[in-house]
Amino acid sequence: MKAAVVPAPGARWELGEVPVPRPGPGQVLIRVRACGVCHNDVWLTNGVYDFPPLEPVIVGHEAAGEVVEVGPGVTTREVGDRVGATWVQRGCGRCDYCARGLPPTGQTAMCCAAPVLTGMTAPGGHAEYVAVEAGSTVLLPGGVSYEAAAPVLCAGYTAWSALRAAEPAPGDRVAVLGVGGLGHLALQFARACGFETVAVTRSPDKRELATSLGAGAVVSGGAGLRDAGGADVLLVTNTSYAAATEALQGMRPGGRVALATIDPVGALELGPSSLVWAKRLRVTGVTHDGPDRLAEAFRLVAEGKVTPMVEEFSKEDVADAVEAVDKGAVRFRAVVRY
């Protein structure tokens, strides 16, 4: 099969020939039709994170396609099912975290001693075929294309999980920091739920788009957010914790901050204790908060209330897609067709 192989840390991705995987017990084989490029894919292959212990190195955790083979013991999926493959396949089952019996979520990846992670500890979806745990797949709603489904499997999953984790109440004001792969979806999710929404971005060329995606106001930073009336909820969807720190000054008392992304080099500075204590801010980290959250996100996409904005690339141009993501030149999610 054709697969996007990363020959070495920092090397340009290559389209190569590798054997088609076979599904083992409890697994399904997916004919991948589209796979999104997450910034974590780029960081995994350019040395920001540890290089994946895979042979060959094939990353990608936003793969959508159809089941073409089921392994022994699989009863929940059938050949022909349209599915998406999620990042966390399962935990190790033996560590202290797994002993608590919690369902596989993004938290599993952070807390399990040896999780099975698509594209990180197990072969990923930037290939024509990928074998994954059947229980880690999700059935795709009818009418949602593979290209639209791919970004929902990580970016949409995370953005929606962040909004739900922040627990906005009726009448709350939601601010979205960053209008990118996650942020453009977070704005739409907040609008779909009827919340007054503010976009926080320093990119002048994104102001009009942010308004069209649901922002009632667009500001350039924390001072602007404060002057515009502040926010009860802040969804941090960019990769700059320095910008998140600056945005805290626009939070209302009792505000909730959901960190939906990772800054690989920076740290969130909560500032003087008076800021946290006086305003009673609550800060939480969010990844993929459970299959029910993913199902909710897909329902909103299937209903036409949220539309992922993607740039499509052929598999032959996968290296160009990765380079564009690395430069921040994609509006807003790169999807590779396989």
Side-chain angles (χ1 to χ4, degrees):
M1 69 174 181
K2 297 285 187 181
V5 177
V6 189
R12 187 175 172 84
W13 292 27
E14 300 174 354
L15 190 65
E17 293 274 354
V18 301
V20 176
R22 297 265 69 86
Q27 292 187 321
V28 295
L29 182 66
I30 300 172
R31 173 60 175 95
V32 178
R33 298 300 179 183
C35 188
V37 180
C38 177
H39 227 116
N40 284 314
D41 296 334
V42 179
W43 288 335
L44 276 166
T45 57
N46 68 8
V48 174
Y49 295 158
D50 291 337
F51 200 55
L54 304 172
E55 183 58 45
V57 174
I58 302 171
V59 302
H61 51 271
E62 292 185 344
E66 65 264 12
V67 175
V68 294
E69 187 178 347
V70 298
V74 174
T75 59
T76 58
R77 296 290 179 262
E78 299 177 350
V79 171
D81 283 346
R82 299 174 70 250
V83 298
T86 58
W87 174 38
V88 180
Q89 294 191 37
R90 58 177 172 82
C92 70
R94 301 187 62 84
C95 68
D96 290 341
Y97 177 82
C98 289
R100 297 172 61 191
L102 300 172
T105 68
Q107 193 69 13
T108 304
M110 306 300 176
C111 300
C112 174
V116 177
L117 307 175
T118 308
M120 294 185 183
T121 64
H126 280 292
E128 291 180 328
Y129 294 89
V130 64
V132 300
E133 298 285 332
S136 71
T137 64
V138 58
L139 293 171
L140 301 180
V144 177
S145 70
Y146 293 126
E147 292 78 10
V152 182
L153 293 164
C154 180
Y157 195 175
T158 306
W160 177 248
S161 292
L163 181 63
R164 294 284 266 116
E167 299 178 343
D172 275 356
R173 201 173 197 218
V174 177
V176 177
L177 176 61
V179 184
L182 272 73
H184 88 283
L185 293 169
L187 286 170
Q188 295 181 72
F189 283 132
R191 175 184 62 184
C193 293
F195 294 110
E196 182 184 0
T197 306
V198 181
V200 184
T201 177
R202 297 190 185 278
S203 300
D205 60 328
K206 293 182 178 179
R207 298 180 70 90
E208 184 176 345
L209 176 64
T211 300
S212 71
L213 294 175
V218 183
V219 301
S220 61
L225 179 59
R226 180 195 60 215
D227 295 343
D232 302 286
V233 166
L234 175 66
L235 307 181
V236 178
T237 70
N238 65 1
T239 56
S240 170
Y241 282 0
T245 298
E246 196 275 338
L248 293 179
Q249 62 184 296
M251 295 300 295
R252 292 171 172 171
R256 286 85 69 204
V257 181
L259 302 176
T261 52
I262 297 170
D263 183 339
V265 296
L268 183 71
E269 300 288 344
L270 294 179
S273 59
S274 59
L275 173 66
V276 179
W277 288 352
K279 292 193 175 184
R280 296 177 288 112
L281 298 184
R282 188 185 81 195
V283 181
T284 184
V286 180
T287 53
H288 298 169
D289 281 359
D292 54 334
R293 296 289 179 260
L294 181 55
E296 291 166 355
F298 266 122
R299 279 199 295 273
L300 291 169
V301 173
E303 292 169 1
K305 297 178 180 178
V306 174
T307 302
M309 300 177 67
V310 304
E311 290 188 26
E312 297 181 22
F313 295 81
S314 68
K315 58 181 178 289
E316 290 78 14
D317 295 325
V318 63
D320 294 334
V322 174
E323 184 177 342
V325 171
D326 196 23
K327 292 180 177 178
V330 173
R331 297 292 177 89
F332 284 99
R333 203 68 170 179
V335 173
V336 181
R337 298 186 304 272
Y338 288 93

